[in-house]
Amino acid sequence: MTLVAGVDSSTQSCKVVIRDAATGALVRSGRAPHPDGTEVDPAAWWGALLTAFAGAGGFDGVDAISIAGQQHGMVVLDADGRVIRDALLWNDTRSARAARDLIDEVGAPAYAERTGVVPVASFTATKLRWLRDAEPANAARVAAVALPHDWLTWRLRGFGPEGESPLGPDLAELTTDRSDASGTAYWGADGYDRDLLVRALGHDAVLPRVLGPGEPAGRTPDGILVGPGAGDNAGAALGLDAASGDVVVSIGTSGTVFAVTDSPVADASGTVAGFADATGRFLPLIATLNAARVLDATAGLLGVDHAELGRLALEAEPGASGAVLVPYFEGERTPNLPDATASFSGLTLANTTRPSIARAAVEGLLCGLADGLDAVRGQGVDAQRILLIGGAAQNPAVQVAATQVFDVPVVVPAPGEYVADGAARQAAWVLTGRRPAWPIESGAPFAVDARPEIRRRYAEAQASA
């Protein structure tokens, strides 16, 4: 049996799946947690990757590996290959002012035309601009800029600081892929836009070589083939084998709505990011900062677990009897409101109940994603079905409410580590030279039961929040 491994180095944890390259059958798996917070020492990711592989039985018998990781995170290296400061993650909003400055200088339409995106606090370029302005001494030391999956792939191949790696700090060996490069706000159809990089950081720097789909990054010191890797959403799209007409709605630490398309998107409003995917196509996407943690916070408020939260939500009528939660607990990326806070509205003595509060939390989370679906469709995406994934997708209340908030049939694939699965598919692709056609297990579509009053009330609450 030929084995391939896929890694999902996400915000909260590292997951490893090891699969049969021929059939996609899961052979073994492992996971390890990541530290909390919006800035993290990348060494913690490397340690978690090794721990997760140990839990998966190690590297024995694995012929190829690929790493998918959280997008946008800023990993800055000095000339000796050492990490200069903790990485700022995608959900660190301190660079919101820097994003506005970059837009003022370049213009939103020009950014969209040159890179497919308009800067927001999540993107790497804005974090580099923040570094330039807030920590100029650190910015001056930057010799190379990498993203989380780039840095992990480099380390996996044996590179790193002297004394910590067998091959030393060869910055020219940093690699990435189209999907992750497209989330930096300094990469576009013609490659890296050095002017935008210099505008952000203040000087030029080494950037990872962008690999094509199925192109190997190299090998580990032990000879295992290493794939190009991908951003987490591109990894999920590949893991789901998403096709034209599929829109993926993922409810994890962040919420995302994305689709695979043949043509690029350049939304000058900045609402839809025109990312690339992991197959040579494109991945128009919106992201929300407030997703599964909305349910975490509400469950904590009510003193219940997620299963009980779902049961309570299903006791309430659709629309939560008029109670509405606009769940901007951590600011928001879509819409771009980094300083916003959450708000409840429409509360009365009659509807201030545990079931209504639970229902409002579920509906508020989904309404934000439904707004994202509208924005993606506004860029010409044809939505024939929604693939609902992420841990929260398994909650029956989320599934039921999704049929009422979305106006497209909803399919909930079997629970799985789809980002890691996408990385494993990519590893098999690199190993065999062919994109694998592994089967995807999913249930029948849920019938649409649209309740437009839910989104109407949510829009009214948004406008007055």
Side-chain angles (χ1 to χ4, degrees):
M1 182 186 295
T2 301
L3 300 180
V4 294
V7 177
D8 172 15
S9 183
S10 72
T11 310
Q12 295 180 316
S13 62
C14 180
K15 284 85 72 177
V16 170
V17 298
I18 297 176
R19 294 187 173 273
D20 179 349
T23 67
L26 181 65
V27 177
R28 52 187 199 261
S29 63
R31 66 186 298 144
H34 285 162
D36 290 332
T38 63
E39 57 179 314
V40 172
D41 183 349
W45 300 332
W46 178 242
L49 185 149
L50 296 178
T51 300
F53 260 106
F59 295 91
D60 289 349
V62 173
D63 290 291
I65 301 170
S66 202
I67 300 173
Q70 53 181 299
Q71 286 187 269
H72 314 309
M74 180 192 74
V75 182
V76 284
L77 306 176
D78 65 16
D80 297 320
R82 298 189 182 281
V83 174
I84 294 170
R85 70 165 333 275
D86 287 355
L88 297 187
L89 306 191
W90 61 274
N91 56 351
D92 191 301
T93 60
R94 74 185 74 179
S95 57
R97 174 71 252 179
R100 292 192 291 271
D101 290 344
L102 289 170
I103 294 170
D104 289 343
E105 294 170 14
V106 177
Y111 253 113
E113 182 179 354
R114 291 165 68 172
T115 68
V117 301
V118 176
V120 293
S122 300
F123 295 161
T124 315
T126 70
K127 299 179 188 308
L128 292 174
R129 181 59 169 264
W130 173 88
L131 186 72
R132 190 201 79 170
D133 295 342
E135 299 179 359
N138 280 338
R141 294 174 55 205
V142 175
V145 182
L147 303 173
H149 111 255
D150 310 343
W151 185 81
L152 286 168
T153 298
W154 189 63
R155 292 301 311 270
L156 187 66
R157 292 172 54 217
F159 298 100
E162 294 287 354
E164 298 179 19
S165 58
L167 300 181
D170 190 345
L171 299 179
E173 286 293 335
L174 284 163
T175 60
T176 190
D177 83 305
R178 294 170 65 256
S179 71
D180 235 0
S182 67
T184 60
Y186 47 79
W187 184 88
D190 298 324
Y192 286 119
D193 191 319
R194 294 281 174 174
D195 171 70
L196 295 179
L197 172 67
V198 171
R199 187 177 293 277
L201 179 60
H203 62 86
D204 206 352
V206 174
L207 296 174
R209 181 166 57 94
V210 181
L211 302 174
E215 183 180 354
R219 293 185 180 271
T220 70
D222 294 329
I224 301 172
L225 194 63
V226 180
D232 51 1
N233 294 301
L238 183 56
L240 287 162
D241 206 16
S244 177
D246 292 336
V247 175
V248 181
V249 175
S250 176
I251 310 176
T253 305
S254 65
T256 53
V257 180
F258 54 90
V260 175
T261 62
D262 292 325
S263 301
V265 163
D267 180 6
S269 76
T271 303
V272 179
F275 295 152
D277 84 333
T279 71
R281 295 184 289 176
F282 300 91
L283 199 77
L285 176 148
I286 70 93
T288 65
L289 293 180
N290 299 278
R293 287 181 178 177
V294 175
L295 304 186
D296 293 343
T298 309
L301 174 68
L302 297 178
V304 298
D305 60 16
H306 279 252
E308 179 65 9
L309 181 75
R311 189 190 67 75
L312 286 169
L314 289 174
E315 288 183 7
E317 291 295 318
S321 300
V324 180
L325 173 63
V326 178
Y328 299 161
F329 289 99
E330 298 185 288
E332 192 47 86
R333 169 172 163 178
T334 306
N336 186 25
L337 299 169
D339 300 320
T341 56
S343 62
F344 256 113
S345 63
L347 294 178
T348 66
L349 289 177
N351 69 14
T352 304
T353 65
R354 288 157 61 83
S356 289
I357 289 172
R359 183 80 180 209
V362 172
E363 291 178 350
L365 183 163
L366 290 169
C367 282
L369 294 169
D371 287 350
L373 174 62
D374 288 347
V376 169
R377 288 196 292 196
Q379 295 299 312
V381 171
D382 177 28
Q384 296 179 13
R385 66 171 183 169
I386 288 172
L387 299 175
L388 189 65
I389 64 170
Q394 301 305 314
N395 190 307
V398 172
Q399 296 174 359
V400 169
T403 70
Q404 297 160 348
V405 170
F406 296 118
D407 59 357
V408 180
V410 174
V411 175
V412 181
E417 299 293 350
Y418 287 106
V419 176
D421 289 345
R425 281 177 181 262
Q426 190 182 67
W429 190 349
V430 170
L431 184 65
T432 66
R434 299 185 306 277
R435 179 178 169 180
W438 298 340
I440 300 293
E441 181 183 347
S442 62
F446 287 89
V448 175
D449 182 23
R451 304 293 180 94
E453 69 274 12
I454 297 175
R455 293 195 60 197
R456 184 179 66 251
R457 288 172 181 157
Y458 181 81
E460 292 168 354
Q462 270 185 311
S464 60

